[in-house]
Amino acid sequence: MDNIFSFADELGPLKVIHIHEPAIGLKGVLVVDNVARGPSIGGLRMAPDVTTEECVRLARAMTFKNSAAGLPHGGGKAVLVGDPKMPLQQKETLIRAMACALREVEQYIFAPDMGTNEECMAWVQDEIGRAVALPREVGGIPLDEIGATGWGLSHVVDESLKFCDFDIRDARIAVQGFGAVGKHVTNFLCQDGAIPVAVSDSKGTIYNPDGLDVKKLIALKEEGKSVTEYTDGEKHSQDAIIDIECDIWIPAARPDVIHEDNVHRLNTKLVVEGANIPITYGAEKVLHKNGILCVPDFIANAGGVICAAMEYQGATESAALAAIEEKLRRNTLEVLHTAERDQVLPRDASLAMARKRIDRAMSFRRWNIF
Ligand code: NAD
């Protein structure tokens, strides 16, 4: 990044801190973007090729996500250069050192992201007492185990159906990515009466127009197998999930899977984004034009971060689930009503809602730097 100030605007970033300790090979960056709503929460990402620019952008995304989720937190992000699969002892040394280097930056609360997990957060907590998504044994709420994001998505679907012409009962769903997010949202929607006709993972797609047995699919994944090993269905390529005719399509795998060149293949009525940035803005515009409702990622998949924020406040698991349900239902309704009234994309309505909340929080402050 040539000049950090070329990325700066009236929201932030507030602080960009580079950390370098050659003795142990520590290279990292912390970006605190905006703290008007409260101390920032954002993940610590570990990868060999992370950059300051990526960190700046991800921190801004967290400012909007936390605001949209109605949390008393701003946005921040940290990146650590290194292969997350390095020997565990070396990884522990780096993460503990990174935490110690940021001990005084109370405007940032560590959370897990790509390359880090709850064990890493336990090391941070041990060093500086400022991390979320901790193991249960040290007061954490295991958000992937309880399916916090999938739980939230199921409520987003329920509210979104008020803007569609069909019911959840017997609605056909297709889910791309059957991991922590995908399997739980499938399970919750099945409990509401939906029928999963196709799911996919990195090995391929499994399809049965009469419905797949979600419990059997989850059992397969727990045995470390692919969903394509499910016997009562047709096996297709990974990409084939895009073409499945269904009522609700849920991306829960990778970024940018739907773009302007393949969006015409989606044969559905409602898209609810479980993954982060799974659909490009251009493709979302096409969906909007074609009358396919699409609820954007940072509204729909905020269950995880709400759970983490509730954990930080010392809430119980059931209180966290109740907060996810309440916040996501309210946000979905607000965003979809605005989108309908103003004839704008749900993403644009969501950004405007988040921005309004940040601006209001900033208006209460003398300076936004403390
Ligand atoms: P995960 O690693 O548990 O699961 C990902 C799943 O996607 C795996 O089953 C994998 O096999 C599959 N997959 C990978 N590439 C694929 C492809 N090209 N096509 C189909 N399937 C593919 O991850 P997760 O925690 O479920 O996260 C999924 C997405 O949701 C990510 O974008 C993540 O950033 C986002 N997200 C997760 C949470 C959370 O609470 N875990 C919260 C918000 C957003």
Side-chain angles (χ1 to χ4, degrees):
M1 180 182 284
D2 296 338
N3 178 359
I4 191 76
F5 294 113
S6 63
F7 281 83
D9 60 17
E10 65 283 7
L11 292 185
L14 169 62
K15 287 183 184 173
V16 179
I17 300 174
H18 284 88
I19 297 149
H20 186 210
E21 172 49 278
I24 53 166
L26 173 66
K27 274 192 218 160
V29 183
L30 168 69
V31 177
V32 177
D33 184 51
N34 185 294
V35 293
R37 293 178 59 87
S40 67
I41 290 191
L44 169 63
R45 176 169 292 194
M46 184 172 189
D49 54 356
V50 284
T51 63
T52 303
E53 182 177 329
E54 178 182 358
C55 196
V56 167
R57 293 208 158 113
L58 291 167
R60 174 58 53 86
M62 288 309 299
T63 298
F64 277 88
K65 186 168 188 167
N66 291 342
S67 169
L71 296 173
H73 291 286
K77 199 87 184 181
V79 296
L80 180 54
V81 180
D83 178 357
K85 295 205 167 80
M86 67 175 56
L88 198 62
Q89 213 178 348
Q90 190 186 351
K91 184 171 178 176
E92 181 174 345
T93 304
L94 289 182
I95 289 176
R96 283 183 181 274
M98 177 97 174
C100 290
L102 298 172
R103 183 185 304 280
E104 308 302 329
V105 191
E106 289 177 5
Q107 293 150 320
Y108 175 64
I109 299 161
F110 283 80
D113 191 62
M114 272 166 51
T116 61
N117 58 14
E118 60 175 39
E119 188 181 12
C120 303
M121 292 306 109
W123 299 329
V124 174
Q125 180 74 1
D126 182 43
E127 294 295 340
I128 64 168
R130 218 173 51 239
V132 290
L134 297 166
R136 206 189 278 278
E137 295 73 15
V138 284
I141 304 173
L143 58 93
D144 279 343
E145 192 184 308
I146 66 170
T149 301
W151 168 252
L153 286 165
S154 70
H155 292 288
V156 171
V157 166
D158 196 44
E159 292 299 327
S160 304
L161 288 175
K162 293 178 181 159
F163 298 79
C164 300
D165 62 356
F166 65 97
D167 216 56
I168 193 65
R169 184 139 295 279
D170 297 334
R172 294 158 306 154
I173 59 171
V175 179
Q176 181 188 49
F178 205 68
V181 174
K183 71 179 180 196
H184 283 296
V185 67
T186 309
N187 194 29
F188 286 125
L189 290 176
C190 286
Q191 286 168 16
D192 294 339
I195 299 173
V197 289
V199 301
S200 69
D201 61 20
S202 56
K203 300 269 163 45
T205 299
I206 188 85
Y207 171 63
N208 185 337
D210 297 326
L212 303 162
D213 183 329
V214 67
K215 301 275 179 243
K216 285 189 184 156
L217 288 166
I218 291 174
L220 273 175
K221 291 303 273 187
E222 278 166 4
E223 289 166 29
K225 294 180 179 160
S226 162
V227 292
T228 56
E229 291 181 58
Y230 181 89
T231 44
D232 188 19
E234 294 168 21
K235 292 175 195 37
H236 293 279
S237 69
Q238 191 193 74
D239 198 41
I241 190 86
I242 298 174
D243 306 292
I244 300 292
E245 189 193 344
C246 60
D247 300 302
I248 308 172
W249 197 82
I250 300 177
R254 312 279 310 153
D256 296 331
V257 290
I258 301 294
H259 40 78
E260 276 158 275
D261 297 331
N262 68 2
V263 62
H264 62 276
R265 287 170 49 195
L266 281 179
N267 192 351
T268 191
K269 297 173 184 161
L270 170 66
V271 176
V272 176
E273 297 181 0
N276 287 322
I277 48 165
I279 304 185
T280 64
Y281 186 66
E284 282 185 358
K285 273 193 189 159
V286 175
L287 291 177
H288 188 68
K289 200 168 119 246
N290 294 345
I292 300 171
L293 188 59
C294 176
V295 187
D297 49 5
F298 71 102
I299 293 296
N301 72 19
V305 75
I306 296 172
C307 187
M310 293 296 287
E311 174 191 306
Y312 196 68
Q313 290 167 20
T316 60
E317 192 172 308
S318 54
L321 291 173
I324 293 168
E325 174 175 349
E326 190 207 312
K327 284 177 186 295
L328 293 196
R329 282 186 179 274
R330 203 176 45 218
N331 283 340
T332 306
L333 265 189
E334 182 174 338
V335 159
L336 296 185
H337 271 307
T338 307
E340 193 176 62
R341 186 194 61 210
D342 300 347
Q343 288 297 298
V344 294
L345 255 58
R347 179 171 296 277
D348 292 334
S350 311
L351 286 169
M353 179 185 81
R355 180 62 197 252
K356 207 162 118 192
R357 292 176 182 173
I358 299 164
D359 286 346
R360 179 124 173 93
M362 287 174 80
S363 76
F364 297 135
R365 306 192 59 158
R366 183 150 66 109
W367 292 301
N368 283 296
I369 52 174
F370 300 113

